Amino acid sequence: MFLRTFFLAVALLVAGLMAIYRVDLSDPFAETAADGKCRTLDMFTSQDIAEIKYEHAEAHERFDLGLFGSSRVLMVGSSDIESQPGRFFNFAVGGMSLRQSVALLESLAAAKRAPRQALIGFDNMATQFYGNAEWPPMPERLVHVYRDLIEPEARQTLGLNARIRMAWRHMWTFWQTAKQSLSTRRLRARMSEVNPNNETDCYRADGSRKRRESFAPTKITLTPPAKQSVPPGYLDNDMARLAAIGDSEIIVFETPLAPGLVSADPISAATRAAWLTACAAH
């Protein structure tokens, strides 16, 4: 009797969570465009913010210009590039790697909502940041696993060691996103309303994050990377994925570092060379 009750409770809990996560989130960017008050989205995970931005684009006519990347480009708004209102959207998500930008742009292209021109910020090579995509959710993300590990082209062009390391990365990403999905913070965020906020650290109608008025002086030091974490074979594959997206002009740029922090270490240089070779090849 106890086990039956326990499993019933677990089944109801899982069903409840699935129902909550299937509820369509509101569109804070459309709401901001309507009332002029920006929205705070810090309670949401990066998965949720990517989903919200995707669904906003899906419901909107195709943008002329889209900016993708991490928090390094998140504060760039339409006023910074003198774009007409409603023709530019910032798709960047804090913590988003190049692989996430590629996955998001592919999903937009499949929905015929990829911007006519896409600018993708690739985190500076000195950071060696190349995490796997956390969005789209399962089961769509299994397509990425198949393409990275099982697809015949991957087996032919990528070595066994590279695919083993990538398999470990996929498992780690799945574990992290599973923890986020079951967190009480995400549950509260998806059940709550997104309230307007005219203060700092909130999102504007064009997807950008409001710029802080001032930053406290901070002394920054840069430690050269100890190993190459950006696999050249997968970097080449990701550039090929971008090249396969038709009807969009795509520009990938390396985000800069503060003056005085430019790294000339051999690992950064090798990664940059592999990236430029892949761009030229595709």
Side-chain angles (χ1 to χ4, degrees):
M1 182 67 181
F2 172 77
L3 288 178
R4 184 183 303 173
T5 303
F6 173 76
F7 286 118
L8 178 61
V10 170
L12 291 174
L13 175 62
V14 171
L17 289 174
M18 291 179 64
I20 290 171
Y21 293 140
R22 290 182 65 86
V23 172
D24 290 335
L25 297 170
S26 62
D27 187 345
F29 306 110
E31 294 169 356
T32 296
D35 62 20
K37 298 179 180 179
C38 68
R39 261 63 177 177
T40 299
L41 302 179
D42 287 345
M43 73 288 288
F44 290 102
T45 66
S46 57
Q47 303 170 62
D48 289 325
I49 294 177
E51 178 183 343
I52 292 170
K53 290 192 171 187
Y54 169 81
E55 292 183 347
H56 174 75
E58 193 177 34
H60 194 281
E61 62 178 303
R62 190 181 181 196
F63 290 103
D64 291 332
L65 178 62
L67 179 60
F68 297 77
S70 65
S71 57
R72 294 171 181 269
V73 299
L74 187 53
M75 292 185 184
V76 178
S78 54
S79 61
D80 298 309
I81 58 175
E82 300 181 355
S83 173
Q84 294 181 357
R87 304 313 311 145
F88 163 82
F89 193 75
N90 189 322
F91 290 94
V93 177
M96 175 186 285
S97 73
L98 175 67
R99 303 210 87 197
Q100 177 65 86
S101 296
V102 173
L104 179 54
L105 187 54
E106 283 180 327
S107 295
L108 289 168
K112 301 187 183 304
R113 286 297 185 271
R116 292 177 176 84
Q117 187 177 58
L119 304 179
I120 303 178
F122 187 178
D123 280 331
N124 193 277
M125 305 304 164
T127 67
Q128 288 293 298
F129 178 54
Y130 208 66
N132 285 340
E134 297 182 4
W135 189 92
M138 298 287 283
E140 293 91 337
R141 199 148 22 105
L142 290 176
V143 175
H144 300 176
V145 177
Y146 173 80
R147 183 166 42 198
D148 282 346
L149 306 177
I150 305 172
E151 195 174 54
E153 184 178 352
R155 295 203 303 267
Q156 293 171 5
T157 59
L158 300 168
L160 178 60
N161 288 339
R163 286 187 287 125
I164 290 174
R165 287 194 293 269
M166 184 54 69
W168 168 251
R169 288 189 179 196
H170 276 296
M171 288 189 291
W172 187 87
T173 302
F174 282 140
W175 171 243
Q176 295 301 315
T177 53
K179 289 196 300 182
Q180 291 178 6
S181 298
L182 297 176
S183 68
T184 56
R185 175 186 173 185
R186 190 184 189 206
L187 180 62
R188 290 195 303 268
R190 293 183 72 94
M191 294 179 66
S192 65
E193 293 293 330
V194 180
N195 298 316
N197 184 344
N198 275 324
E199 303 301 325
T200 59
D201 296 340
C202 57
Y203 286 75
R204 294 173 287 206
D206 62 8
S208 63
R209 186 166 179 163
K210 191 173 180 180
R211 195 185 311 272
R212 293 182 181 180
E213 297 298 327
S214 63
F215 292 90
T218 304
K219 184 178 180 180
I220 302 175
T221 58
L222 180 65
T223 302
K227 62 179 181 179
Q228 186 169 3
S229 299
V230 180
Y234 285 102
L235 180 56
D236 181 80
N237 283 2
D238 289 341
M239 292 301 102
R241 290 166 59 189
L242 289 177
I245 298 175
D247 201 25
S248 290
E249 179 186 4
I250 302 173
I251 299 173
V252 184
F253 64 95
E254 182 181 4
T255 59
L257 296 174
L261 293 181
V262 177
S263 177
D265 65 274
I267 292 178
S268 298
T271 303
R272 188 174 296 110
W275 168 53
L276 294 176
T277 299
C279 288
H282 302 291

